[in-house]
Each structure stands twice: as C-alpha cells, then as structure tokens.
Amino acid sequence: MTTDLLNIHVQKPAETSWNKINLTVLIAEQAEGGYQATVLGWADCQGSGLTKEEAIANLNQALNTRLETTEIAALQIVNPNAEHPWMKLAGKYKDDPDFDEMLANIEALRQERNAEMEAYYRQLDEEDEAYYRQLDEEDEAQFDEGYDHQFDEEDEAQFDEGYDHSGNMEDIA
C-alpha cells in the first residue's frame, strides 16, 4: 500500500516475519453471550463477537486500525538503583586472619590435582603407545607369515552351523 504524503511516496513493508508481532490475547465469555478478546497489557484494545473467532477477527481489525497511525518501539533502560548481586560479597573476607592461609591451601590443592591429572594423562598415553605398538607387531608378524589362514575343523564347523545348505544363511544366535 502506498500513501501520498506531500508528494512523498511512503511504501509500507510487506508482511514478513520481521514485522510481525506476537501478542497474548485474553478471550472471555460474556455473561450476556458472545466473547470479548483483549490484548493483555492494552486494556483499551478489544474486540467482541458472537464466537471466539469473530471476537479475534474484530480485535485484529481494531489493532490494525490503531497501528496504522502509531508505532511500536522497544525501550530498554538501565535501572540506576540496581546493584550487581555479587557486590554484597565483595570484601567479605577482607579482615579475616585465616583468608591468606585459605588461599595458600587452595593453591596447594590445585597444584596437587594438576600433578595427579598430568600423571594420569601420561599413563594413558603410555598405555595407548603400548597398545598400538603391539598391534603394529601383530600386523607385521601376520604380513611376514603371508597371512595365509587355513580353515581348520573348528572354523568349518562354525561355518556349517550357520549355513542351511540351500544357499541361504541362517542367524547364528
């Protein structure tokens, strides 16, 4: 829709997701019959009808009429009286004679835990290296042997258990 305002053309935006507003609506059944739909927070913005759908449609029409001449804007303010919640704790241990000792204990415990974790990670690395070294040795041994595996009687029996000799494999379970 285009409006002519002092020979300046103002194009209203098409309906897209960025210009849609979600409003919470209270729908109340009236004692005399019918329904009234009210936008919560906008008590003067209402629509009435015999059905819920008609009340919402009338509310939508009232909102559209109102928003043609007004604008919705968001305003964010900083509360000048608000205090950060942790500020109450700032300086709490300032005069505590045991505070420095407690900090030293915390530092010692951190160093101890860091040393334990370092030793644990070193052990895991060594175990991984040993495992991969063993796999490499096994692979090398199999390669040297030519990896010529011959079926023995046990392998053949296991194979025959799962084969019904009609060409179909059965579940071995």
Side-chain angles (χ1 to χ4, degrees):
M1 174 178 170
T2 304
T3 58
D4 191 7
L5 182 66
L6 300 173
N7 290 329
I8 299 172
H9 294 285
V10 178
Q11 183 72 33
K12 286 197 168 190
E15 186 177 309
T16 60
S17 62
W18 63 267
N19 65 354
K20 290 183 180 180
I21 302 169
N22 291 321
L23 300 171
T24 304
V25 176
L26 174 69
I27 302 172
E29 191 170 357
Q30 301 297 302
E32 63 275 358
Y35 293 89
Q36 182 156 353
T38 307
V39 175
L40 292 181
W42 294 5
D44 61 333
C45 211
Q46 300 178 346
S48 299
L50 295 176
T51 65
K52 291 178 185 180
E53 291 78 13
E54 185 180 345
I56 291 173
N58 290 336
L59 173 62
N60 191 26
Q61 183 179 3
L63 280 169
N64 285 331
T65 301
R66 183 171 183 180
L67 292 175
E68 284 179 359
T69 58
T70 59
E71 184 178 332
I72 295 177
L75 176 64
Q76 183 180 32
I77 63 169
V78 175
N79 184 349
N81 300 322
E83 180 182 22
H84 192 285
W86 289 9
M87 287 305 293
K88 292 180 244 174
L89 301 174
K92 181 177 180 180
Y93 298 106
K94 177 177 69 170
D95 298 324
D96 188 340
D98 297 328
F99 188 68
D100 290 334
E101 182 182 345
M102 181 185 70
L103 288 178
N105 288 340
I106 290 172
E107 179 62 27
L109 183 61
R110 281 187 184 157
Q111 290 177 358
E112 182 182 322
R113 290 298 195 287
N114 287 344
E116 289 173 1
M117 291 306 296
E118 185 63 33
Y120 175 70
Y121 289 138
R122 221 180 351 260
Q123 177 187 353
L124 288 178
D125 289 342
E126 290 170 2
E127 289 173 1
D128 281 349
E129 287 177 19
Y131 174 75
Y132 288 117
R133 201 172 23 251
Q134 178 184 358
L135 285 179
D136 287 342
E137 290 170 1
E138 289 174 3
D139 286 345
E140 196 173 303
Q142 288 177 352
F143 182 76
D144 289 344
E145 293 173 4
Y147 198 70
D148 186 23
H149 180 74
Q150 298 294 324
F151 278 107
D152 58 11
E153 290 178 19
E154 184 179 331
D155 291 331
E156 194 172 327
Q158 288 177 351
F159 180 77
D160 284 342
E161 285 178 14
Y163 196 72
D164 69 0
H165 298 287
S166 65
N168 297 322
M169 291 295 292
E170 296 176 358
D171 288 336
I172 306 175

